[in-house]
Every structure is written in C-alpha cells, then in structure tokens.
Amino acid sequence: LPFLTERFANPSGSHRFARDARRAIDEARDVVADVLGVPAGWIVFTGCGTESDNAAITGVLAACAEAGRPGTAVCPAAEHHAVLHPVEHHGGRVVAVDASGRVDLDALADTLRSTPDVRVVSVMAVNNEVGSITDLIPVQGLVRELAPDAVLHTDAVQTPSWIPLQALTPFVDLLSLSAHKFGGPKGVGVLVVREGTPFAPIIRGGGQERERRSGTHNVAGIV
C-alpha cells in the first residue's frame, strides 16, 4: 500500500524518492531470486505470465535472427496459449502429448531430429488445465543431445503450489511466473533469463530491466 500512496515515485528517476522506489524493487528482486535459487540478475519483471511466455519465445527467436541464426520454436500441443500461439505465429513445430497431457518424449525426439534449426523448446512444468506434472530432466536431456543450439523454456505459472521452484531452475534457460498464481497481485510476472541465453526484448524504449523489458515499473505489484 505505501507504494500506491506516499512512496509513489518512478524508480527510473534520479532523485531521492525515485531511489527509494528503486531500492524496493531491488529488494523484491533479491527475494524472488532467493526463492528460485538463481542470481538476482537473471530476474526480469514483466506485466504477467502471458508476457513472460511471449517474451521467452519471441525474444529468443529475435535474438537468434539478429545474430544471423534464424530458427524454429517447438512446444507440445497442450501448452498454454501464451506459448502455443507464439510458437504457431512464428511457424514453429507443435508435438504430440500423451493421454495425461505430458509431452510425448518420442514425438519430441523425432521433431528435434528432423528440424535442424531449433532455437527454443518450451515445455510447461504443470499443466494449467489437467494438472499433470512433467519431469523436465529427460526433456532437457533430449534438447541438449538433439538440439544443442536450442534453449529450454518452461511455463511455470502453475508450479509454485506443487513443486519447489528450485527443483526446476537448474534444468531450464528461461522460466515464466505470474504473481497472482501464488498470492501476489494480478498484473505482474517474472521471466527468468539464464546468463548467456540469447534474448531480445519485445518491449523497447526505456531501457528498464537491463534493457530486457522497457516500461515504467509496477512498483507496488513487484513489491
């Protein structure tokens, strides 16, 4: 509440009140990083889980294209539309799932073998409709073996109630969260971007979040 009232400054400013807001964001970033077991510099605050998912797919493909390495995105058919639709929009590959909604590992392997330019694979940790939990360790193994130039993203929006997040972060390069799924407010999310992961921002103009997501911070939401 204080960040909606007396501590109202824009954290991108240079005056004392702005620095106060910036300290609050930095402290919140440290808390999130500790929960996830990653360095604070990997945390990118976004507007929601959907933005985080979109940024993961589009941001990797854009960065690879800018580097002269255009490629393809891959995801299972039961992904949240925030992943599925960007993959389809960019002409990516959608692979089969089993009866429980988990990715079919054989189908994923076949797709990775037959698609030489895969740049990002996205597999959700906990399905948002049927609740099935996917073991990401064998998924990571397939990606590293069959598409070594690809990064692995997971939509972990539904995960915090069911799996310790630190059990996921060692195996993925990007991870999406939405605050309102585990007690936070609506309208704020997180994208974890592992150091060295190719990533180009989908929102430009202000340079916030180390130029990975421009726009005035939602200080109250982040806190």
Side-chain angles (χ1 to χ4, degrees), residues 39-110:
W42 294 9
I43 303 298
V44 179
F45 287 117
T46 68
C48 58
T50 293
E51 182 191 333
S52 297
D53 285 344
N54 273 248
I57 303 303
T58 302
V60 169
L61 292 178
C64 290
E66 290 171 7
R69 300 169 49 246
T72 304
V74 173
C75 76
E79 290 292 305
H80 190 283
H81 286 170
V83 168
L84 182 63
H85 287 176
V87 169
E88 292 175 333
H89 175 77
H90 291 290
R93 301 287 302 277
V94 178
V95 302
V97 297
D98 64 19
S100 298
R102 299 179 181 90
V103 61
D104 184 317
L105 292 176
D106 291 334
L108 177 61
D110 290 344

Side-chain angles (χ1 to χ4, degrees), residues 48-53 80 82-83 124-128 153-162 165 168 175-182 188-190:
C48 58
T50 293
E51 182 191 333
S52 297
D53 285 344
H80 190 283
V83 168
M124 69 192 335
V126 178
N127 188 279
N128 61 294
H153 166 254
T154 190
D155 175 348
V157 167
Q158 298 289 345
T159 300
S161 297
W162 310 106
L165 292 168
L168 297 180
L175 180 146
S176 299
L177 290 173
S178 183
H180 77 281
K181 294 296 185 179
F182 56 105
V188 64
V190 164

